[in-house]
Amino acid sequence: EVSDRAADAARARAEHARLRQLLDASADAWRDCRLGDGTTFSEGFAAVLGRAGELEAAASPAQAPWIHSDDARRVAEQWEAHLSGATARYECSYRVVGGERERWVRDRGRAVEFADGRPVRVVGTTADVTEQHEAEERLHAAKRLEMLGILAGGFAHDLNNLLAAIRGQAALLATEPAATPATIEALESIQLATTKAKMLTSNMLSLGKPREAEVKRFAVRTALDDIARLVSIGLPKSVV
């Protein structure tokens, strides 16, 4: 019986050693947390966090000093949810402080030993998910821009219809025999303003759509004359 127990213990140690070798060979780091009795980290744990030197001790992974303060509460909630049995495993992503650049990591773990129905040992891995997080952020930003482009496109189409009606009516009024030179000048200013507004709506329609840079000649004098005509409408004659 004694020899059987010794053989079982030897097999368990060998299995444990093989498991650690497999974890060390992966890109993830691992830790073995005995609640109230410290945590054992793999050799590559600090490298995954992007930190140099020894890792500071913590009562639990949720209280680790390298967790960003804005994420600490969420990490603690996920940790307690697992310890209380509300979740089958502990899993949480958070930012790491103390490195050369912002880094995101993901913890995964599970309680493997219990005492009086309460976990006393949790083992798990920590992986660098910075690139994945940045890719997700870029994807979300692209989707938000695409949605904004759809909304802006609908608004631009409706606005274009109104501008076309205003421009058309102004052009018709300018051809009336009773139109005075001052009236014609004002109507031409309206047409110019609607033309400028249509250029803005064209830009709105291209929002969220990839397009190549376009180089055009720009007539500064013409642009200044157009601006002066538009501004002069709201100014008293004494200023103009």
Side-chain angles (χ1 to χ4, degrees):
E1 183 178 352
V2 174
S3 61
D4 289 342
R5 286 200 299 269
D8 290 341
R11 283 193 294 269
R13 287 193 298 271
E15 185 66 25
H16 186 67
R18 283 195 295 270
L19 178 59
R20 289 200 170 189
Q21 289 173 349
L22 288 172
L23 290 172
D24 288 338
S26 70
D28 297 351
W30 58 265
R31 62 181 160 197
D32 188 342
C33 177
R34 294 183 178 274
L35 303 183
D37 194 26
T39 300
T40 302
F41 299 99
S42 64
E43 294 181 0
F45 201 94
V48 169
L49 298 179
R51 295 164 61 93
E54 295 293 328
L55 296 175
E56 300 90 335
S60 72
Q63 299 173 351
W66 53 80
I67 298 176
H68 195 286
S69 58
D70 292 343
D71 302 329
R73 180 176 179 180
R74 176 168 48 82
V75 174
E77 289 174 351
Q78 294 295 324
W79 178 256
E80 289 300 324
H82 179 59
L83 295 185
S84 66
T87 58
R89 73 164 61 191
Y90 161 68
E91 181 171 345
C92 192
S93 297
Y94 55 87
R95 286 164 290 180
V96 175
V97 297
E100 296 181 356
R101 64 184 181 90
E102 183 177 85
R103 186 182 296 253
W104 281 83
V105 298
R106 180 184 60 222
D107 284 352
R108 284 177 173 170
R110 178 176 294 175
V112 294
E113 290 183 12
F114 301 83
D116 299 326
R118 183 75 178 174
V120 294
R121 182 185 177 199
V122 179
V123 297
T125 60
T126 298
D128 184 351
V129 293
T130 304
E131 293 184 1
Q132 176 184 337
H133 180 80
E134 291 175 349
E136 291 174 351
E137 285 296 311
R138 288 193 296 269
L139 179 60
H140 292 327
K143 288 183 176 180
R144 288 194 295 269
L145 185 59
E146 181 182 4
M147 183 59 64
L148 182 60
I150 293 173
L151 295 174
F155 174 77
H157 280 299
D158 292 340
L159 185 57
N160 270 337
N161 293 335
L162 295 174
L163 292 173
I166 295 171
R167 181 179 175 80
Q169 291 298 320
L172 286 175
L173 289 173
T175 60
E176 289 290 330
T180 64
T183 301
I184 293 175
E185 183 180 359
L187 292 171
E188 288 176 348
S189 296
I190 292 175
Q191 294 182 65
L192 176 62
T194 56
T195 300
K196 297 295 184 183
K198 191 176 187 309
M199 294 172 60
L200 293 177
T201 58
S202 297
N203 292 334
M204 292 173 61
L205 287 171
S206 64
L207 185 64
K209 299 178 181 178
R211 61 176 180 175
E212 297 181 357
E214 186 177 357
V215 180
K216 291 183 178 180
R217 289 184 177 274
F218 181 73
V220 178
R221 181 56 184 271
T222 302
L224 292 175
D225 289 342
D226 290 343
I227 294 172
R229 290 177 60 187
L230 292 174
V231 172
S232 64
I233 298 174
L235 296 176
K237 294 297 183 181
S238 58
V239 175
V240 179

